Amino acid sequence: MKLSQFKFKLPESQVALEPPHRVFKNDDGTEEKVYRRDECRLMVVHRKSQTIDMFEKDEEGKDTDRFLTFRNVIDYFDDGDAMILNDTMVFPARLYGTKEKTDAKIEVFLLRELNAELRLWDVLVEPARKIRIGNKLFFEDDGPMVAEVIDNTTSRGRTLRFLYDCPHDEFRKELFALGSSPLPRYIVERRDVTPDDAENFQTIYASKEGAVTAPASGLHFSRELLKRLEIRGVNFGYLTVHCGLGCFDPIEVEDLTKHKMSSEQMIVGADVCEVANTAKVGGHKICAVGISTLRATETAVGTDGMLKEFDGWTNKFIFPPYDFGLANTLITNFYHSESTMVMATAAFGGYDLVMEAYQKALDNGYMFGCFGDAMLILDD
C-alpha cells in the first residue's frame, strides 16, 4: 500500500492533550482535576459483519444517544478470553540542560543506556545544530550532573557520557529526578508538562522500566475495570516491549515496503505464552492491547499459531495486507494521519472498514492521540 492512502485531516481540537477528567471547584476558588482514564469513548468495529458501533443500546437493541465508553469493553469479553498487555514502564526521559559557555537551552531526550559503568547514553538533542562532539551540557545551576558529547549517531542523535562519580543506582536516581514525563511532542508543544503526567502517562500495570513513550492503548485501564474483567473470567498475560520513538518517526517513502522501523527491545515469557496459547486452544478471544503488543505477538508467534518465548529485539512493521498469526481481537487508539499505528490497525481490521471508522471518529468529535479515545476490533 501507499503512504498517501493513510492521509486525513485531523483538526487540532480533536487532539487530546490530557486524559478524560472532571474539574471540581474548591471552596477557596481553586480548581482540581480528577482524571478518569476509563471514561474515554469506545468505538467497536466488527470486521466480519463490517459494522461499527458507537452508541449504547436500549432494551430493544436500538442505538441510544449515549456514546459507548471504555468501561463498556467488559461487555465484549467472556470467561476464558485472554488479554495480552505490555507492562513496560516509562521513565522520565526528557531533560533540559544548558550548553557550556553559551548557556543555550538544550533539550536532551534519553533513549537508552548504552554502558552502565561508563555512564553512556543514547540521546536525542534539540536544537541539534548547536551540539557537537566535545561540548559539555550542565543540567543544574550548581549541581554535579554534567554530560559530555562523545559521538554523533544521527542528525539529532548523540552519545553522551555523564560525568557523575557515584554508585550506578544513585546516578540513575539523580538523573531521572532531573527529567520529566516524555509526552509526545504534539502535546508538549501545546502545554506544559505537569506533575499529574507522571501518573497519567503510565499504565496502572507498568512494572519493567525502559520505555520512552507509553503503550497508549493500555492507559485506558483503571484498577476497577481490570478487577471487573478478572471477575468475569478474563485472563491477563503480560509481555514487555520497551516502546521507543520509532512509531513517531515520519515515513518518508510512498511505498510502505521501503520503510524501516526502529528496533525495540521485547521479552515474551513463559507465563504470557501459557495464557495466550490456552485461549487459542480453547477457541477464545486473544486480545492484543495496543500496537506494541500486536507487533510483539506477531514477532514471537510460531508457524503453528502458538506464542513462543522470546528475548531480543523487533523492528516489525505491520501494514495491509497482513495475515495475523495469534491475536483475533485488538484494542487500540485513534492516531495521527500517516502514522504506523493507523497502518497496523488497518491491517488488522481491514483497510476500508478502519478508514470508515476513522471518518466516523472525525465526524463525531472523537479524540485522537495517546490520551484520546479507543477502538475495539472484534472478529465477528
Side-chain angles (χ1 to χ4, degrees):
M1 297 199 77
K2 305 299 183 184
L3 175 64
S4 55
Q5 291 177 266
F6 296 91
K7 187 174 184 177
F8 54 85
K9 186 175 182 180
L10 175 62
E12 283 195 17
S13 60
Q14 285 181 246
V15 177
L17 302 183
E18 295 179 278
H21 61 274
R22 299 177 186 180
V23 179
F24 296 91
K25 287 192 175 182
N26 298 318
D27 294 338
D28 59 2
T30 60
E31 293 184 343
E32 182 177 355
K33 291 181 180 179
V34 176
Y35 295 94
R36 305 286 177 83
R37 59 173 71 212
D38 58 8
E39 288 188 355
C40 69
R41 290 192 200 177
L42 176 70
M43 182 183 292
V44 182
V45 176
H46 306 266
R47 63 181 182 182
K48 285 186 177 176
S49 62
Q50 298 282 291
T51 56
I52 298 172
D53 295 331
M54 295 190 297
F55 300 97
E56 294 182 7
K57 306 287 186 183
D58 60 20
E59 295 179 354
E60 298 178 354
K62 297 180 179 179
D63 284 347
T64 66
D65 59 357
R66 299 187 302 275
F67 281 100
L68 292 166
T69 68
F70 194 75
R71 291 179 179 177
N72 293 115
V73 77
I74 193 173
D75 299 329
Y76 298 91
F77 290 88
D78 297 304
D79 185 28
D81 291 341
M83 282 190 174
I84 312 301
L85 305 102
N86 182 5
D87 64 4
T88 188
M89 179 183 288
V90 179
F91 63 88
R94 181 174 278 114
L95 289 72
Y96 292 94
T98 55
K99 182 182 174 183
E100 63 175 340
K101 298 180 181 179
T102 67
D103 287 336
K105 187 176 181 181
I106 305 296
E107 178 188 288
V108 175
F109 196 100
L110 303 173
L111 296 177
R112 62 189 179 97
E113 190 171 40
L114 300 174
N115 185 300
E117 182 179 356
L118 298 178
R119 310 288 196 264
L120 298 183
W121 277 79
D122 183 21
V123 307
L124 298 176
V125 294
E126 188 71 35
R129 69 182 185 279
K130 294 184 177 182
I131 302 301
R132 299 175 180 176
I133 294 174
N135 288 157
K136 288 184 179 179
L137 299 172
F138 297 84
F139 293 93
E140 297 173 285
D141 290 340
D142 300 314
M145 191 66 71
V146 181
E148 181 182 10
V149 181
I150 65 170
D151 195 15
N152 296 330
T153 53
T154 63
S155 60
R156 293 177 56 217
R158 303 290 186 270
T159 299
L160 296 188
R161 179 172 61 212
F162 285 90
L163 309 176
Y164 196 92
D165 187 17
C166 68
H168 183 255
D169 289 346
E170 181 183 337
F171 161 71
R172 285 178 67 93
K173 181 179 179 181
E174 293 294 329
L175 180 64
F176 290 172
L178 296 172
S180 61
S181 296
L183 299 178
R185 188 158 295 280
Y186 64 82
I187 293 179
V188 297
E189 288 178 348
R190 298 171 63 187
R191 72 164 175 87
D192 293 332
V193 177
T194 70
D196 289 331
D197 290 317
E199 179 178 350
N200 290 338
F201 199 56
Q202 195 83 268
T203 65
I204 61 169
Y205 46 80
S207 62
K208 309 293 195 312
E209 183 182 272
V212 297
T213 188
S217 302
L219 296 178
H220 304 302
F221 287 90
S222 63
R223 288 179 174 80
E224 294 77 13
L225 180 56
L226 279 181
K227 190 63 178 180
R228 290 176 62 205
L229 285 163
E230 180 185 340
I231 293 172
R232 197 174 182 91
V234 175
N235 298 308
F236 301 101
Y238 298 91
L239 51 75
T240 304
V241 183
H242 291 314
C243 302
L245 297 182
C247 57
F248 295 107
D249 289 342
I251 299 179
E252 299 176 344
V253 291
E254 176 69 2
D255 181 356
L256 296 183
T257 63
K258 304 290 178 58
H259 177 67
K260 303 299 180 185
M261 288 282 288
S262 299
S263 294
E264 295 174 328
Q265 187 179 12
M266 58 170 278
I267 302 170
V268 178
D271 291 347
V272 66
C273 290
E274 182 178 356
V275 170
N277 294 336
T278 299
K280 179 102 174 185
V281 171
H284 297 286
K285 292 185 182 73
I286 304 173
C287 179
V289 177
I291 300 303
S292 64
T293 300
L294 188 66
R295 293 175 62 231
T297 57
E298 287 304 302
T299 298
V301 69
T303 55
D304 58 355
M306 296 295 170
L307 192 62
K308 312 294 184 182
E309 293 182 52
F310 185 97
D311 188 345
W313 296 75
T314 181
N315 64 349
K316 182 171 284 294
F317 176 33
I318 298 175
F319 60 93
Y322 185 93
D323 293 326
F324 289 87
L326 184 73
N328 53 25
T329 305
L330 175 67
I331 292 174
T332 185
N333 280 25
F334 291 92
Y335 290 106
H336 287 69
S337 173
E338 297 183 330
S339 74
T340 60
M341 289 83 77
V342 177
M343 295 166 190
T345 304
F348 192 88
Y351 173 80
D352 291 336
L353 184 60
V354 166
M355 298 315 291
E356 178 187 349
Y358 263 71
Q359 190 58 55
K360 286 181 178 291
L362 290 167
D363 293 342
N364 287 274
Y366 281 67
M367 301 302 289
F368 285 61
C370 64
F371 289 139
D373 294 319
M375 178 190 296
L376 169 66
I377 302 179
L378 300 171
D379 192 32
D380 61 8

